[in-house]
Amino acid sequence: MNLPILVAYIDPGTGSMLFTILIGVLGAGIYAAREAAVKLRFLLSGGRAVRKEEERMPYAIFSDNKRYWNVFGPICEEFEARGEELHYLTASPDDPALERDFQHVKCRFIGEGNKAFAVLNMLRADVLLSTTPGLEVYQWKRSKSVGYYVHILHACSEVTLYRMFGVDYYDALLLSGEHQIRETRKLEALRGLPPKELELVGITYMDSLRRRLEEAEPLPEHPTTVLLAPSWGESAILKRYGGRILDALLNCGYHVIVRPHPQSFTSEKEMIEDLMARYPESEKLEWNRDRDNFEVLRRSDILISDFSGVIFDFALVFDKPILYADTSFDASPYDACWLEDEKIWSFEILPKLGMQLTEENLGRLNEIIPACLEDPRFREGRDLAREQSWTPRGDSAARTADFMIRKRRELLEKEANKSKK
């Protein structure tokens, strides 16, 4: 008799939950065994210090993607210059950090995806810094052997534009604007969370971009250049307008650079490949995938984007106007949906930085772009945006290092006082 074969199906959500439970159980077991071994060695050694590999890292950074090296690189340089030991843990095997020859900063690839989180869930460190949201929400759990978790933003926009509960379980947030402080405190009050430590440190990579810009050679004469650099997803420019926006720009006679979001080449691969085939590179059009966007931003005279953070890099660092697309924004997956009475700062400031691109004026880009380039209101708007969202400026890496060092000192003092009692 042939018996039926039963095939078990586990949906992705349940699979993620089961993996989280498994990691938690394994982590607790390994943690308990490791602590018991450390205590046993301590007793057998007559109270002498345990071996160095059992000690906690003084400072650690976790980067879930190599594209955040622009955020962490200046911080690593600061720790290196101070001679402070720092461990940089990355989930990208080709992270630029792995190519650096640091003496005091130890850079290590810890695996991708769940492998990285498995390492983090059992990490031993005094202070850990990351720009990855979702701590204690998905696979990444707080390790019992990490003293303090610090989140640093990788843009000057809202904290509430993270997915739901993105930073709830960090101990501290390093920010760049009062609007971020305001919305964080409102979320904490709504959810009954203990107040996190909030520190204004500025934005590391924007400080670096500004220094590079000040040191760069003047640009040669060039035709008016338009950079199309959208985000990705259903509400983004390329998904909504497709080839129509490329037709409109090319018909104006501008030099056009298209720089899709890196995620588009994965999540929207078919759409991107279709557009690249229909609009091949020419004297008027280029597709850009440079890892470092500095030169493409410097070469461009005006930016067209949607809700991508590159808007603020272009406007605030390079001091140039923008066109922002009229795209719908669904706040329901984000923390912003909790703050119904709180206006989203990014959307409030956009009209002060440039003009809006809509279905109705798409065919008038030959009028809109020159007007946007010449209108003095947008220079005033950029000055206002800097004051509101990029403070302080110039020494963010030093301020970040100062904060981490200060927190570790406080933790060690607290542990010493506890031991005395």
Side-chain angles (χ1 to χ4, degrees):
M1 180 176 66
N2 293 325
L3 296 176
I5 298 174
L6 299 179
V7 178
Y9 170 74
I10 299 177
D11 65 88
T14 303
S16 176
M17 180 183 68
L18 292 175
F19 178 84
T20 301
I21 294 172
L22 176 62
I23 287 294
V25 172
L26 290 175
I30 293 173
Y31 176 85
R34 185 171 60 191
E35 290 299 300
V38 171
K39 289 178 181 178
L40 179 61
R41 270 198 298 276
F42 183 80
L43 292 173
L44 293 176
S45 67
R48 293 189 300 274
V50 296
R51 293 184 302 171
K52 186 175 182 179
E53 59 263 29
E54 298 295 350
E55 296 174 357
R56 290 180 297 187
M57 302 172 184
Y59 308 99
I61 288 177
F62 168 61
S63 176
D64 64 67
N65 194 289
K66 63 183 179 182
R67 66 176 176 266
Y68 299 122
W69 177 242
N70 65 350
V71 175
F72 296 123
I75 300 169
C76 290
E77 295 282 0
E78 184 69 25
F79 271 84
E80 178 73 8
R82 298 187 186 197
E84 293 280 356
E85 180 185 337
L86 170 68
H87 294 257
Y88 181 87
L89 312 175
T90 177
S92 290
D94 55 347
D95 195 309
L98 301 174
E99 302 172 0
R100 300 299 301 271
D101 185 24
F102 289 123
Q103 297 298 313
H104 305 284
V105 179
K106 316 298 181 184
C107 302
R108 179 161 60 102
F109 170 59
I110 60 172
E112 299 176 284
N114 290 330
K115 289 183 179 179
F117 292 125
V119 172
L120 293 172
N121 292 348
M122 294 176 282
L123 194 69
R124 296 175 64 84
D126 290 326
V127 178
L128 184 140
L129 176 74
S130 182
T131 192
T132 305
L135 175 65
E136 202 68 14
V137 178
Y138 300 113
Q139 286 93 335
W140 188 14
K141 303 301 179 183
R142 289 178 64 108
S143 167
K144 294 181 180 180
S145 295
V146 172
Y148 205 75
Y149 284 88
V150 184
H151 183 88
I152 187 169
L153 294 192
H154 53 265
C156 63
S157 54
E158 285 74 8
V159 177
T160 53
L161 292 185
Y162 281 133
R163 295 278 173 169
M164 202 95 53
F165 316 114
V167 296
D168 279 6
Y169 301 102
Y170 276 91
D171 299 303
L173 306 183
L174 302 185
L175 308 172
S176 65
E178 292 292 338
H179 63 291
Q180 298 162 345
I181 294 177
R182 182 173 63 250
E183 63 194 18
T184 300
R185 293 301 184 216
K186 286 188 176 182
L187 274 179
E188 290 171 344
L190 282 170
R191 294 173 178 167
L193 296 170
K196 288 176 278 295
E197 186 166 359
L198 307 181
E199 183 98 352
L200 288 174
V201 300
I203 307 170
T204 56
Y205 79 90
M206 288 179 72
D207 287 346
S208 297
L209 281 177
R210 188 175 70 168
R211 283 192 291 271
R212 289 178 68 182
L213 186 61
E214 291 170 347
E215 296 168 359
E217 295 292 329
L219 283 170
E221 289 292 326
H222 63 280
T224 299
T225 300
V226 180
L227 173 61
L228 178 62
S231 187
W232 67 282
E234 293 299 321
S235 298
I237 287 177
L238 291 180
K239 198 74 170 182
R240 177 169 177 177
Y241 294 100
R244 289 184 297 143
I245 191 168
L246 295 177
D247 287 331
L249 288 169
L250 292 172
N251 288 338
C252 293
Y254 299 122
H255 182 74
V256 179
I257 304 173
V258 187
R259 182 180 169 85
H261 191 283
Q263 190 62 35
S264 290
F265 290 95
T266 301
S267 301
E268 302 169 326
K269 184 178 180 181
E270 184 176 340
M271 178 193 72
I272 293 295
E273 289 179 347
D274 175 65
L275 286 173
M276 293 181 75
R278 288 164 53 200
Y279 299 89
E281 290 208 354
S282 65
E283 290 184 0
K284 288 187 175 182
L285 174 69
E286 62 178 285
W287 292 84
N288 183 274
R289 294 189 68 178
D290 293 347
R291 186 172 69 181
D292 182 358
N293 66 2
F294 176 78
E295 282 300 329
V296 74
L297 294 177
R298 192 168 80 101
R299 288 194 292 124
S300 303
D301 298 297
I302 188 167
L303 168 73
I304 301 179
S305 191
D306 34 50
F307 45 87
S308 171
V310 74
I311 282 178
F312 298 108
D313 301 348
F314 191 79
L316 306 191
V317 177
F318 294 84
D319 200 29
K320 299 174 184 177
I322 64 165
L323 283 175
Y324 59 96
D326 174 22
T327 58
S328 59
F329 177 75
D330 179 13
S332 59
Y334 306 98
D335 276 325
C337 75
W338 284 67
L339 306 180
E340 297 178 356
D341 298 330
E342 180 78 15
K343 295 180 179 179
I344 296 179
W345 177 85
S346 293
F347 299 155
E348 289 288 299
I349 201 68
L350 284 179
K352 296 179 175 63
L353 303 179
M355 297 182 180
Q356 187 179 54
L357 176 67
T358 66
E359 289 278 0
E360 290 71 28
N361 65 22
L362 182 61
R364 295 190 296 108
L365 287 178
N366 60 328
E367 303 171 15
I368 294 172
I369 288 177
C372 199
L373 287 168
E374 297 167 7
D375 197 324
R377 292 177 303 163
F378 301 132
R379 180 176 294 277
E380 296 170 3
R382 296 194 293 271
D383 291 339
L384 175 64
R386 285 188 201 93
E387 292 303 316
Q388 292 181 347
S389 66
W390 185 11
T391 56
R393 292 189 290 276
D395 59 351
S396 179
R399 288 174 179 270
T400 300
D402 288 343
F403 181 86
M404 294 173 68
I405 291 169
R406 183 172 76 247
K407 291 313 303 182
R408 180 172 184 261
R409 187 185 307 121
E410 292 173 3
L411 288 172
L412 295 179
E413 289 175 356
K414 186 176 180 180
E415 289 180 3
N417 292 334
K418 187 177 180 181
S419 298
K420 291 178 182 179
K421 293 180 180 179

